Structure formats: C-alpha cells, structure tokens
C-alpha cells in the first residue's frame, strides 16, 4: 500500500497531484523532488510506480519479493539501495530483520518497506522539521535513512553486549552454569548474532561506494558531492558496528567453549567421586566375600573375636580410603 506521497520544494512539503507522472514533472519544474513511501506493495500497486518512474525491472522484482541482502545497484535512471533494519527483543534474546528498499533518481525517492522495524516514518517526520537538510534533494533522504538504520545497529549492538555479559555471568555462576539449557541458550544467542551480521556485514561495501571510502568506491551517480562526507560518517559507524559484531561472535564462541570445558570438568569430578565410592564399596565386599566362603580350614574362622575384628578392619580401611580420596580432591 502507498503510505505517503508528497512533493518537497526547498525542503518544504506540499501535496502534489495524484498522478505520479504529473507529480514528477511538477517537482522537476520546481527544482524539488517527489518522495513516495510504500509498505509491502502488491504487484499491481507497484506497477503504477515503476512505470511512471522508469524503475529497472530487476530492481522492481527485488523490491516485490524482498528477502534481499544489503546491496547497492546503479541503473541508468536510478539508484537502488537495500537496507535491513534490525529489531532486538531483549526478553526473548531474538533478533529480527525487516527490509527497506530505496529507489533514488534525479527528482524522486521511492521507499519500499517490508516487515517491521523500519524507521521511515520517523525519518520523514524529522526531515520535515529540518527543511535546510531536506532542501539538499533526494540525497538527503538516502543519507537520513541509512544513518537512522546504522545508528540503530549501534543501539542493538549495545543491547546485545549487555545481555551477553549477563549470559557470561550466568555461565560461570556455580549455581546455574551447569544447567542443561545453558548450552542451547548460548547457541541460540550465537544464531541471533549471525542474523545481525547478515544485516550489517554486506552493507559495508554499499556504504563504502556511497562514501568513496574504498578501492571500489567509484563515484556513484544521483548522489550529491557535498553529501559524501556524511556517507563517510555512516560508513565509520557501520565499521564500528561490524567490529562490535565480530567481537560479540568471538566472545560467544569463547563462552560456549568455556561452558563445554566446564561441563567436561564437572563430569570428570563426578566420575572421580563415583570411582572413589566404588573403591570404598569394593573393600568390604572383598572381605565379606572371603569370609563368606564355607571352608572348614580358614584362619581365625572359629576365633571368638573374628567377626568384630573383620568389621573393625573394614571400618579402618574405609576411613583410610576416605581420607586418601579426600586429600586428593576426589570426594
């Protein structure tokens, strides 16, 4: 569905004609641009937009089907950028991603949103309160959307870091570190970080191209030259996010390895305790087995003190074994 459609002249909003072609012509004649926002449009709805703005069919197909990796495509008449906003639910330790597609032309911006978590309404409202920025043209919209998405990545990375510290404390706690659910929770946390990385990692190259920050950063059309320092700032923030995600991933792997090692040590301790108790049980069993045999000629068999002597011997050996195992930490 079409969420919003407006013409912006010198940073100020005005309602344009319902026909997209007329709106585009009016925006071009006035030196402004058209910004159309759509949310999970149907094929018929998007056909109207794609035909009027001459959007490339491959980009249109990507916008309709969604489930794209973050990328930047340059076509003859437009620029196509895919972003993946991230939403983190701390109570469930779940990371979910949406998608924002931005078509950028000489006098138009078309944004397509799939899923939740996209900051488009907030971006539009903020830009409309700052006409000096919005007056820079379609590039200002592209920058504002990318900046909002990447800034939220920083917030999500901070929340993940805080929750990971709590998980680390739980793992090394003597009370709950050995819970049977701990390993599955750690692995689930690692999956969420992987989902986060899928949103942030591939975006590095598009931001580098927009900022001309890398060896492949050839100049991208439809992006104003004065906006490139701002895209460099977004690229720097994204680099921080990716470094943070890498650190989180390594830390989760280390926590999982430490937890498994901890479980192995505890199992070895349990086996040593079981072995110690089995050794202590074997001594009286052996003595009782020997003196339980029905032979006539056995030493001290008919001695009056044979029974209490054997019981005392068993108790003495048990005490000696207990002290020995206790000194070695087996009990």
């Amino acid at each position: 569905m079409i969420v919003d459609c407006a013409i912006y002249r010198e940073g100020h909003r005005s309602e344009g004609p319902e026909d997209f072609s007329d709106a585009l012509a009016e925006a071009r004649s006035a030196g402004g641009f058209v910004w159309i926002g759509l949310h999970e449009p149907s094929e018929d709805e998007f056909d109207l937009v794609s035909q009027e703005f001459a959007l490339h069919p491959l980009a249109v197909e990507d916008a309709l089907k969604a489930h794209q990796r973050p990328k930047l495509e340059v076509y003859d008449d437009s620029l196509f950028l895919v972003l993946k906003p991230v939403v983190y639910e701390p109570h469930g330790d779940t990371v979910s991603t949406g998608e924002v597609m931005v078509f950028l032309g000489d006098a138009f911006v078309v944004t397509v949103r799939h899923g939740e978590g996209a900051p488009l309404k907030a971006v539009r409202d903020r830009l409309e309160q700052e006409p000096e920025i919005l007056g820079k043209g379609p590039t200002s919209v592209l920058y504002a959307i990318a900046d909002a998405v990447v800034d939220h990545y920083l917030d999500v990375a901070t929340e993940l870091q805080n929750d990971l510290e709590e998980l680390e404390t739980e793992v090394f706690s003597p009370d709950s570190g050995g819970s049977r659910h701990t390993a599955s929770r750690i692995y689930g946390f690692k999956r969420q970080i992987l989902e986060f990385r899928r949103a942030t990692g591939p975006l590095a190259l598009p931001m580098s191209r927009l900022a001309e920050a890398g060896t492949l950063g050839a100049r991208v059309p439809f992006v104003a030259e004065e906006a490139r320092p701002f895209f460099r700032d977004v690229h720097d923030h994204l680099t921080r996010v990716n470094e943070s995600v890498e650190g989180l991933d390594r830390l989760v792997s280390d926590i999982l390895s430490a937890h498994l090692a901890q479980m192995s040590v505890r199992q070895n301790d349990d086996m040593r305790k079981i072995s110690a108790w089995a050794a202590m049980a074997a001594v009286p069993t052996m003595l009782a087995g020997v003196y339980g045999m029905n032979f006539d000629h056995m030493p001290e068999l008919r001695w009056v003190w044979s029974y209490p002597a054997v019981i005392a011997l068993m108790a003495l050996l048990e005490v000696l074994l207990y002290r020995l195992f206790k000194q070695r930490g087996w009990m």
Side-chain angles (χ1 to χ4, degrees), residues 6 23 32 58 65 86 93 98 103 117 121 136 143 153 169 175 185 204 219 230 238 240 256 260 269 272 305 309:
L58 292 178
K65 292 184 177 180
V86 172
D93 292 342
F103 294 87
K121 185 179 187 307
K136 302 297 183 180
Y143 159 72
Y153 286 165
T169 302
D175 298 329
R185 187 182 173 193
R219 180 172 179 177
F230 296 94
L238 182 62
R240 286 174 49 197
L256 180 59
L260 295 178
D269 289 341
R272 284 190 297 183
W305 299 100

Side-chain angles (χ1 to χ4, degrees), residues 41-58:
S42 66
E43 187 172 350
D44 292 336
E45 289 175 334
F46 203 61
D47 278 344
L48 297 175
V49 178
S50 61
Q51 291 174 7
E52 294 297 342
F53 294 98
L55 304 181
H56 197 280
L58 292 178

